[in-house]
Amino acid sequence: MNEKREEIKEKLREIFSAVLGREITEDSFKEGPGLTGRLHIDSLMGLQIIVKIEQKFGVIIEDDDFAIQMLDAIDKAIDFIESSISPDITVP
């Protein structure tokens, strides 16, 4: 994984931790499907996470179905954010 992807993943882990009110381990925050189940994320938490992602990275996630996919598979969120921010901008 390249450095920018790692930075995005770490920022996402911080967002998830803040919303869920607990530390999220690297092991539970692995790429691939099943993240919402592993972390016990309900719909309100999911909405809060999406809003914080939009604010943190300056992106807009308009498709609700895609937002749900992003929450369940962190690699989809990383791909979306990476493709949405300018390559010469550092991760906020």
Side-chain angles (χ1 to χ4, degrees):
M1 189 178 293
N2 70 38
E3 187 176 324
K4 191 171 209 171
R5 284 183 71 82
E6 280 295 329
E7 290 176 27
I8 293 169
K9 185 176 180 180
E10 183 57 32
K11 296 296 180 186
L12 288 171
R13 194 161 66 97
E14 291 171 9
I15 290 170
F16 276 70
S17 290
V19 170
L20 299 176
R22 65 181 187 271
E23 184 64 32
I24 305 299
T25 64
E26 288 265 343
D27 189 48
S28 64
F29 205 67
K30 59 188 172 200
E31 294 186 27
L35 187 64
T36 53
R38 282 193 306 274
L39 299 180
H40 308 287
I41 298 171
D42 64 27
S43 58
L44 180 58
M45 291 172 183
L47 180 59
Q48 292 173 324
I49 290 168
I50 292 298
V51 168
K52 288 192 177 288
I53 289 171
E54 290 178 330
Q55 292 171 342
K56 179 71 174 177
F57 295 101
V59 297
I60 297 174
I61 305 163
E62 295 181 19
D63 184 339
D64 292 341
D65 290 332
F66 184 69
I68 293 167
Q69 291 174 17
M70 284 178 51
L71 289 174
D72 195 51
I74 201 63
D75 49 324
K76 289 185 186 287
I78 295 169
D79 291 344
F80 174 77
I81 293 165
E82 190 174 35
S83 69
S84 297
I85 59 177
S86 178
D88 57 335
I89 293 178
T90 59
V91 177

